[in-house]
């Protein structure tokens, strides 16, 4: 019962957040669990950064109570008084609560959760967080396991357990529902038949749920899937904003900001993933300048605050600050300074060049590292080949097919609007290999327990969404052409081509 | 529906539809083989015998067993204990005692845990921790090698960490120590 109350609170809180920021009751449903969990992380992050006491129940109560109270207290607009509005909201909530009840009951009856030795390091930090003893978390755990997942796990201390059994499966369902929402909202303005939309949406979901590692990650007690959800939402919300989709900008920007602490405090590479997820968006002149500034400022503030917290922990222990602490903090300062200038014309004019330059810089850094220590790269490449192509990583050969589709789209699809979905995926590849040089473990290794093999899930849902969105694009190079142009109505063409005012 | 999608072999939508389907078919065909070849904790749908991943890990994995069991069992049997341990203890992990062990407080003292062990007879007071384990064979070996819990008939709630010469550590109820030792360690 305790677990059901906790996850229901998260669902209601995330749903309230969506409705408060402008989503319809049904649309808010798709984001409800992930947003609720991220509100908990957001509240916790504020407590940690301000040095205030941390307590799992308090954090949960604030994160759940605040949006719901604000929703209840907001002035009624005429549309809220329509007879169908209340009924739709009620049905949505009931469906959500009943689904959660089934999920919690099932997962508490069928022990499917999976672990790695790292899982218990997250547990340790989660327990200490719930007991307001975060000062005792050792630097290694703080730097490598960070806080998002421990905070999420700590909610189980409310009812006397060590982890929330339905947490990761609920996140997994959340990733699927958010992917479906994004695809549907993006494709709504594209000139594509309804049959094709249904077909691609179904294939996109099937591609994820049929993948062995996706299913495994749906039960694996680790932060990877949560990070994947954050990257997906930050990039997906950016795309919807860029394309002027029928989703309120107030929600899109709010959800991007909401996911920042969860991502940046989720993994050591979280700030880089967040940077990759927002860079194409903040450089896009077709997005309102205020939205771009707000998102960049959000990224900068969270990156700075988290790394200052880390710096404080290092100084408290009398340790010197490593590059992994002051490097991101310096980047955050640069990002703050860039906020007023991010919308200036010369910068946005060279958006494509900047993105290419950023990716090239990562590959050059990898090349330099490889020249310095070629053995690490050779071993990592060999292990990754074994894991992905030969099958040692349990991904199955479909990842090879996926890579082929990815290259096909990169080569033949000319649609530049896809950059916001594509960039975080392609920029992450050199970054993942660079991490082999920065971590203590050295080169990646063969087997499904390898770090890189497990990290790939962080970009997998976004990669699949990218391919699904590319599939409905009309902008292709020869020999691939989109037939049946007559079917495209003139008004649709104009809506898709002119819907991006500067 | 398919008719609307497959209008031309050069239609990228048709190509991607086929490639997506191919990837899904590969996923489905390979799924059982991946499951067959994966260790239990890397298998996607492996069902354990019981709930609680900590107990599962203690029963199935040496690394989890040594990293988690010595602390989890303390928290299970004596939550909210006060633990007295040597400054810079090389065997017991204070972070795990606070977290999995659910200790309410840790007090660091300068004492020799091996010498103290040798002058204290804890053997008759050792708990049979096997009762807590699900997979007795493996867990028993680890418990014998890593840790033990010894209490008097009326446990005080304060445990002092002692070491034997083989590298095993013990949570010893402060009631089992003599009055002078308790005074030296500042235990009331």
């Amino acid at each position: 019962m305790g677990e059901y109350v906790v996850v229901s609170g998260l669902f209601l809180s995330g749903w309230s957040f969506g409705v408060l920021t402008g989503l319809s009751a049904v649309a808010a449903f798709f984001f409800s669990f992930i947003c609720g969990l991220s509100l908990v992380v957001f509240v916790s992050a504020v407590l940690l950064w301000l040095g205030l006491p941390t307590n799992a129940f308090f954090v949960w109560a604030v994160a759940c109570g605040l949006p719901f109270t604000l929703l209840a207290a907001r002035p009624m607009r005429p549309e809220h008084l329509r007879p169908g509005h209340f009924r739709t909201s009620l049905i949505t909530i009931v469906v959500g609560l009943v689904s959660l009840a089934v999920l919690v009951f099932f997962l508490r009856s069928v022990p499917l959760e999976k672990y790695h030795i790292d899982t218990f390091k997250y547990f340790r930090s989660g327990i200490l967080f719930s007991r307001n003893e975060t000062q005792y978390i050792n630097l290694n755990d703080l730097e490598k396991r960070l806080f998002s997942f421990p905070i999420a796990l700590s909610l189980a201390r409310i009812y006397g357990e060590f982890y929330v059994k339905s947490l990761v499966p609920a996140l997994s369902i959340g990733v699927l529902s958010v992917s479906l929402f994004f695809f549907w909202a993006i494709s709504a303005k594209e000139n594509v038949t309804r049959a094709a939309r249904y077909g691609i949406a179904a294939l996109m979901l099937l591609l994820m749920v049929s993948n062995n590692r996706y299913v495994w990650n749906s039960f694996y007690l680790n932060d990877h899937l949560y990070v994947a959800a954050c990257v997906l939402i930050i990039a997906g919300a950016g795309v919807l904003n860029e394309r002027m989709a029928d989703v309120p900008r107030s929600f899109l920007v709010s959800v991007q900001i909401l996911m920042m602490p969860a991502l940046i405090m989720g993994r050591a590479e979280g700030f880089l993933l967040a940077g990759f997820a927002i860079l194409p968006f903040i450089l896009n002149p077709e997005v309102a300048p205020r939205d771009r500034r707000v998102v960049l400022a959000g990224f900068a503030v969270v990156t700075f605050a988290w790394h200052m917290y880390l710096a404080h922990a290092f100084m408290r222990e009398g340790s010197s600050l490593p590059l992994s602490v002051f490097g991101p903090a310096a980047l955050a300062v640069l990002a703050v300074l860039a906020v007023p200038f991010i919308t200036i014309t010369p910068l946005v004019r060279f958006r494509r060049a900047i993105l290419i330059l950023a990716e090239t810089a990562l590959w050059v850094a990898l090349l330099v590292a490889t020249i310095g220590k070629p053995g690490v790269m050779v071993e990592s490449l060999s292990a990754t080949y074994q894991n992905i192509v030969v099958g040692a990583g349990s991904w199955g050969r479909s990842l090879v097919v996926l890579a082929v589709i990815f290259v096909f789209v990169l080569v033949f699809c000319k649609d530049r609007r896809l950059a916001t979905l594509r960039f975080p995926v392609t920029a992450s590849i050199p970054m993942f290999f660079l991490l082999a040089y920065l971590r203590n473990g050295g080169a990646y290794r063969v087997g499904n327990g390898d770090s890189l093999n497990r990290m790939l899930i962080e970009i997998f849902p976004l990669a699949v969404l990218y391919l699904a969105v590319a599939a409905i694009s009309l902008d292709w190079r020869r020999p691939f052409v989109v037939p049946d142009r007559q079917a495209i109505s003139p008004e649709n063409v104009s809506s898709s081509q002119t819907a991006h005012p500067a | 529906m398919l008719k609307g999608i497959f209008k031309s072999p050069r239609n990228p939508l048709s190509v991607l539809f086929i490639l997506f389907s191919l990837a899904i078919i590969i996923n489905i065909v390979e799924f059982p083989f991946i499951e067959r070849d994966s260790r239990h904790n890397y298998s996607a749908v492996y069902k354990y015998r019981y709930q609680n991943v900590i107990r599962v890990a203690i029963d199935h994995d040496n690394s989890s067993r040594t990293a988690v069991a010595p602390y989890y069992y303390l928290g299970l049997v004596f939550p909210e204990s006060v633990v007295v341990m040597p400054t810079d203890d090389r065997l017991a992990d204070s972070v795990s005692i606070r977290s999995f062990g659910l200790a309410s407080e840790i007090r660091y003292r300068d004492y020799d845990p091996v010498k103290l062990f040798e002058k204290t007879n804890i053997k008759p007071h050792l708990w049979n921790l096997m009762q807590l384990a699900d997979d007795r064979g493996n867990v028993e070996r680890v418990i014998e090698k890593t840790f033990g819990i010894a209490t008097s008939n009326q446990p005080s709630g304060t445990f002092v960490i002692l070491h034997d010469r083989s590298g095993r550590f013990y949570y010893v109820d402060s009631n089992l120590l003599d009055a002078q030792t308790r005074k030296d360690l500042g235990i009331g």
Side-chain angles (χ1 to χ4, degrees), chain B residues 108-149:
Chain B
Y108 296 97
R109 299 286 185 267
D110 286 322
Y111 66 95
D112 186 334
V114 179
K115 275 188 187 163
L116 199 51
F117 174 80
E118 284 169 355
K119 75 173 201 180
T120 314
N121 181 18
I122 64 163
K123 210 168 180 182
H125 307 283
L126 275 174
W127 273 58
N128 179 12
L129 294 169
M130 290 309 108
Q131 291 168 359
L132 304 172
D134 297 281
D135 178 359
R136 299 193 172 191
N138 284 327
V139 180
E140 193 166 6
R141 277 198 298 279
V142 172
I143 290 176
E144 277 175 3
K145 271 186 2 198
T146 55
F147 82 109
I149 298 177

Side-chain angles (χ1 to χ4, degrees), chain A residues 276-415:
Chain A
F276 298 158
I278 65 164
L279 189 62
F281 171 79
I282 58 172
L283 290 174
N284 193 337
E286 290 166 4
V287 178
R290 198 189 67 167
D291 292 356
R292 291 150 61 197
R293 287 197 202 104
V294 168
V295 170
L296 179 60
F299 163 78
V301 168
V302 175
T303 303
F304 186 76
W306 165 243
H307 289 91
M308 283 298 103
Y309 180 88
L310 261 184
H312 176 69
F314 271 86
M315 287 189 285
R316 194 176 55 216
E317 296 288 316
S319 305
S320 55
L321 292 186
L323 177 68
S324 59
V325 173
F326 67 77
L331 178 74
V333 172
L334 283 177
V336 169
L337 295 175
V339 169
F341 305 104
I342 198 67
T343 51
I344 59 171
T345 313
L347 207 57
V348 293
R349 190 180 293 163
F350 297 111
R351 177 187 187 237
R352 191 156 177 257
I354 293 170
L355 294 181
I356 292 172
L357 196 69
E359 259 184 283
T360 308
L362 285 164
W363 284 107
V364 169
L366 184 61
L367 184 69
V368 171
T370 305
I371 292 167
K373 275 187 188 174
V376 173
M377 190 60 189
V378 171
E379 258 186 78
S380 296
L381 276 177
S382 163
T384 306
Y385 174 80
Q386 291 286 326
N387 288 341
I388 293 172
V389 182
V390 181
S394 303
W395 277 94
R397 272 46 161 218
S398 84
L399 216 54
V400 178
V401 180
L402 214 60
V404 170
I405 307 174
F406 211 96
V407 173
F408 171 79
V409 170
L410 281 178
V411 172
F412 292 108
C413 188
K414 291 191 294 180
D415 194 342

Side-chain angles (χ1 to χ4, degrees), chain A residues 69-82:
Chain A
T69 311
L70 287 173
L71 188 66
R74 73 175 174 166
M76 286 287 178
R77 289 187 200 152
E79 64 264 28
H80 299 147
L81 300 171
R82 280 203 311 261

